[in-house]
Amino acid sequence: MSVKTFFKLVEIQTKLASLFPFLLGTLFAVYYFNAFDLINTLLFFIAMIIFDMTTTAINNLMDYQKAKDQGYKDEVNVIGQENIPEKRIIHLIISMLVAATFLGLMLVVRTNIILLIIGAACFFIGVFYTFGPVPISRMPLGEPISGLVMGFGIFFIAAFVNINDPTLLSLVFAEQNFILEGNMVSIIALFFVSLPTVLLIANIMLANNTCDLEEDVVNHRYTLPFYIGKKQAVQLFNVLVYLSYLVIILAVLLRLLHPILLLILGTIVPMRRNLAAYNAKQVKSETFVVSIKNIVLFSSSEVFLLALSLLFK
């Protein structure tokens, strides 16, 4: 398998959805908690990218195997396009899963065993998002679950491995007893600040499912747009974008973020142009990219401003 084919299989261009919550979680740990651990950050970054590629490969394999439309299998799915043997993909998936698990266990040793539970939950959801008799991605739960696991899960772990403070969240065993300790205010702060990425990542799945609605029905995938209708799905897409801006404003008012983050409001003008293009038509080859442009525009601005805010602490 060539590198180009591998990148198509794992859809390397979609890894921005993992990169942004990782960067934001790391920067927020530095800004809000005054904490940074380079080794833990690098270990988590590599494990996160490998696991993200694993879940995408599983997704493409499941879509190929479960497809009812032969045209989709041969011409749309990368496995049929590139004529990749299924056994080779399975071996690749297992190898990447083992590598990500090994790196995750290294992080557990370096932090706290509670990370094992959090990581296992993310692994479970990631694998069964597209695998199994009733994958999550083929249900109306795909959007909120993908948003929460990637938008908040990655953000939280990126911050957690840097903070490495038992007062944030820890699990300690003492003979037959165990102690679960955490700081509710800090955890709520992490969740609230992660919300823009939660919403924008959910929007990527929402746009994908809206554009693929007719094709999904043919292939027996009944996602959220099937249940609420295409018109309401488009309206929800817009609402989630504007809610992202509202969260930033509230986070500044609550003193979770520096006031310089309010400059992100300057991206509303190009964002409105993106939304207008998407609202006009929902075609996978033409306007799905709007959901990617939105998260790049919003989250790259947020990353830059959050990094800049470190200079004004």
Side-chain angles (χ1 to χ4, degrees), residues 6 28 60 72 94 98 198 215 231 237 253 264 306 309:
F6 171 75
F28 189 65
N60 279 320
Y72 168 82
I94 293 172
V98 169
V198 171
E215 183 180 277
K231 181 179 179 181
F237 184 88
L253 293 176
I264 203 169
L306 187 53
S309 71

Side-chain angles (χ1 to χ4, degrees), residues 36-45 106-107 110 162:
F36 179 69
D37 188 308
L38 178 61
I39 295 176
N40 285 357
T41 297
L42 291 175
L43 285 173
F44 177 58
F45 175 75
M106 287 181 63
L107 275 172
R110 291 179 56 84
N162 278 289

Side-chain angles (χ1 to χ4, degrees), residues 134-167:
V134 187
I136 297 170
S137 64
R138 292 171 177 254
M139 302 165 60
L141 297 174
E143 285 82 359
I145 290 179
S146 63
L148 286 170
V149 172
M150 296 184 70
F152 174 60
I154 293 174
F155 185 102
F156 178 84
I157 296 174
F160 179 84
V161 299
N162 278 289
I163 299 166
N164 198 15
D165 184 345
T167 61

Side-chain angles (χ1 to χ4, degrees), residues 275-282 287:
L275 292 176
Y278 181 78
N279 294 342
K281 54 181 173 180
Q282 299 80 50
T287 54

Side-chain angles (χ1 to χ4, degrees), residues 232-293:
Q232 285 72 25
V234 173
Q235 291 174 346
L236 178 60
F237 184 88
N238 285 257
V239 168
L240 294 183
V241 169
Y242 289 120
L243 279 177
S244 300
Y245 287 99
L246 179 60
V247 169
I248 296 295
I249 295 171
L250 293 175
V252 170
L253 293 176
L254 293 170
R255 298 185 178 180
L256 300 176
L257 294 174
H258 192 279
I260 199 171
L261 266 293
L262 292 177
L263 291 176
I264 203 169
L265 297 176
T267 64
I268 287 182
V269 174
M271 185 69 78
R272 285 175 62 86
R273 288 197 294 265
N274 289 349
L275 292 176
Y278 181 78
N279 294 342
K281 54 181 173 180
Q282 299 80 50
V283 179
K284 187 71 170 283
S285 60
E286 298 180 42
T287 54
F288 166 71
V289 70
V290 167
S291 64
I292 306 297
K293 288 181 178 179

Side-chain angles (χ1 to χ4, degrees), residues 114-130:
I114 193 68
L115 185 61
L116 179 63
I117 299 172
I118 297 170
C122 290
F123 266 48
F124 179 86
I125 294 172
V127 170
F128 287 95
Y129 188 78
T130 54

